[in-house]
């Protein structure tokens, strides 16, 4: 066993346990154990378990991002202090002061990538499980997936026409080409790309303050807005349909989770925060600490009283 195989072994064992458990659950309620829908739902169950386990990491990510926004002015001061200085001493001093700021405030610029980094071993573990099923053609896995279940997983097809272990490239090179597999794979790649783009777009357009939009972090987010969907577009064609389905469902989870967070816990000063305050104001429930705005009618200027001259007073007296 190579080093990568040794690292992935416990992950593959856990993935097989979750897949087999959900397969047993859906089979016990009457679903066909060999149907593609049963194994697809087992993959959905795997996504739910993994993403639910990562919720604390996601909450930590949000808190760290808030801290990064709070220290943005101090970080800019450090950058301005060493602006134009390219000597080694200045670069080291700038790096040292930046790291000290991160340590003092408990912030981490890499926290936004943490959920994705933690998911990558799961992703590659599932890829390895499906690849083993395809290469070994139904041989037993490393854990609870025995030969019978592995054979069932190998024969499972999405919508009854697209085997879960097949890739777009394999379907294209088949003789004759498996058009149904290619259409399903292309549809999933488009949905994966679109969901990733929408997730990044709602962060960039709604959940960033004006200060952040003027910082280098905003430019990085703008780059990710276009680069990440391209990664899905090009790499998706080489992954088995089962792995792509896991990726697609995970993307939908991320998109929904991000929508809920932006709606209910937006970044202070962002457009999403202003929208939330307006919604709460319409309901009469302003956020805690937000001063209630009371419209006060501007007083009308007092009418100036014209002084009455003595002559006019006398004339008025005579008329009476």
């Amino acid at each position: 066993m190579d080093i990568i195989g040794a690292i992935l072994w416990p992950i593959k064992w856990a993935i097989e346990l979750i897949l087999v458990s959900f397969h047993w659950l859906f089979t016990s309620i009457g679903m066909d154990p060999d149907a593609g829908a049963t194994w697809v739902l087992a993959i959905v169950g795997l996504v739910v378990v993994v993403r639910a386990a990562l919720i604390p990491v996601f909450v930590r990510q949000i808190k760290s991002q808030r801290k990064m926004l709070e220290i943005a002015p101090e970080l800019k001061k450090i950058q301005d202090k060493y602006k134009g200085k390219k000597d080694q001493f200045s670069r080291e001093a700038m790096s040292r002061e930046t790291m000290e700021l991160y340590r003092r405030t408990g912030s981490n610029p890499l926290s936004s990538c943490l959920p994705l980094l933690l998911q990558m071993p799961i992703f590659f573990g599932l890829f390895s499980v499906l690849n083993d099923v395809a290469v070994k053609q139904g041989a037993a896995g490393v854990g609870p997936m025995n030969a019978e279940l592995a054979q069932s997983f190998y024969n499972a097809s999405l919508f009854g026409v697209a085997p879960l272990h097949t890739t777009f490239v394999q379907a294209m090179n088949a003789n004759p080409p498996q058009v149904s597999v290619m259409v399903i794979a292309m549809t999933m790649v488009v949905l994966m790309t679109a969901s990733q783009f929408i997730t990044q777009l709602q962060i960039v357009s709604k959940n960033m303050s004006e200060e952040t939009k003027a910082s280098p972090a905003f430019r990085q987010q703008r780059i990710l807005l276009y680069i990440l969907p391209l990664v899905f577009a090009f790499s998706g064609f080489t992954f088995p349909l089962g792995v792509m389905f896991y990726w697609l469902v995970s993307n939908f989870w991320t998109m929904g989770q991000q929508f809920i967070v932006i709606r209910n816990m937006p970044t202070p000063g962002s457009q999403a925060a202003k929208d939330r305050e307006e919604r709460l104001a319409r309901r009469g429930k302003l956020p805690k600490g937000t001063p209630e705005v009371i419209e006060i009618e501007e007083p009308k200027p007092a009418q100036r009283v014209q002084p009455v001259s003595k002559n006019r007073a006398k004339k008025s007296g005579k008329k009476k």
Side-chain angles (χ1 to χ4, degrees), residues 148-260:
E148 181 182 355
L149 289 171
Q151 187 66 45
S152 175
F153 198 10
Y154 176 76
N155 294 327
S157 297
L158 193 62
F159 305 122
V161 295
L164 293 177
H165 65 267
T166 306
T167 67
F168 178 89
V169 175
Q170 291 172 345
M172 184 175 61
N173 294 331
N175 189 18
Q178 298 175 304
V179 179
S180 57
V181 175
M182 294 168 62
V183 171
I184 292 174
M186 288 182 65
T187 303
M188 293 177 70
V189 167
V190 170
L191 291 175
M192 287 160 55
T193 304
S195 59
Q196 182 65 38
F197 182 81
I198 293 171
T199 301
Q200 290 295 322
L201 182 62
Q202 65 182 355
I203 296 174
V204 172
S205 61
K206 291 186 176 181
N207 203 37
M208 283 191 171
S209 62
E210 295 301 324
E211 293 79 7
T212 306
K213 289 182 178 180
S215 67
F218 178 72
R219 289 193 291 272
Q220 294 173 4
Q221 286 286 350
R222 294 286 296 184
I223 293 172
L224 289 176
L225 176 64
Y226 298 102
I227 288 182
L228 285 180
L230 290 176
V231 173
F232 286 105
F234 287 104
S235 62
F237 292 105
T238 62
F239 292 120
L241 293 183
V243 176
M244 289 173 63
F245 199 85
Y246 171 88
W247 208 342
L248 177 61
V249 176
S250 184
N251 275 9
F252 283 153
W253 178 293
T254 302
M255 186 169 63
Q257 185 175 251
Q258 197 69 255
F259 174 80
I260 294 172

Side-chain angles (χ1 to χ4, degrees), residues 57-58 60-66 68 107-116:
V57 179
F58 184 73
R60 183 179 176 183
Q61 171 194 1
I62 294 174
K63 291 180 179 178
S64 183
Q65 287 177 339
R66 295 287 193 272
M68 289 296 296
S107 53
N108 185 358
L110 298 178
S111 61
S112 59
C113 303
L114 192 57
L116 180 62

Side-chain angles (χ1 to χ4, degrees), residues 32-101:
D32 184 359
D34 297 324
T38 306
W39 285 106
V40 166
L41 288 176
I43 294 175
V44 173
L46 175 66
V47 175
V48 172
V49 170
V50 171
R51 296 309 300 268
L54 290 177
I55 287 178
V57 179
F58 184 73
V59 173
R60 183 179 176 183
Q61 171 194 1
I62 294 174
K63 291 180 179 178
S64 183
Q65 287 177 339
R66 295 287 193 272
K67 289 180 181 178
M68 289 296 296
L69 291 174
E70 291 174 2
I71 68 171
E74 297 182 51
L75 192 60
K76 192 173 185 307
K77 288 180 182 178
I78 296 175
Q79 293 171 348
D80 292 341
K81 179 180 177 182
Y82 295 98
K83 187 176 181 180
K85 299 179 181 179
K86 298 182 179 180
D87 58 285
Q88 185 177 355
F89 177 78
S90 298
R91 288 200 301 268
E92 290 178 355
M94 179 180 172
S95 177
R96 187 167 55 251
E97 291 184 26
T98 302
M99 296 306 296
E100 174 61 23
L101 178 63

Side-chain angles (χ1 to χ4, degrees), residues 7 11 29 50 55 77 119 146-148 186 195 231 233 283 286 297:
I7 295 173
I11 298 174
I29 61 177
V50 171
I55 287 178
K77 288 180 182 178
Q119 277 196 92
N146 55 33
E148 181 182 355
M186 288 182 65
S195 59
V231 173
R283 299 176 197 165
L286 287 172
E297 187 178 353

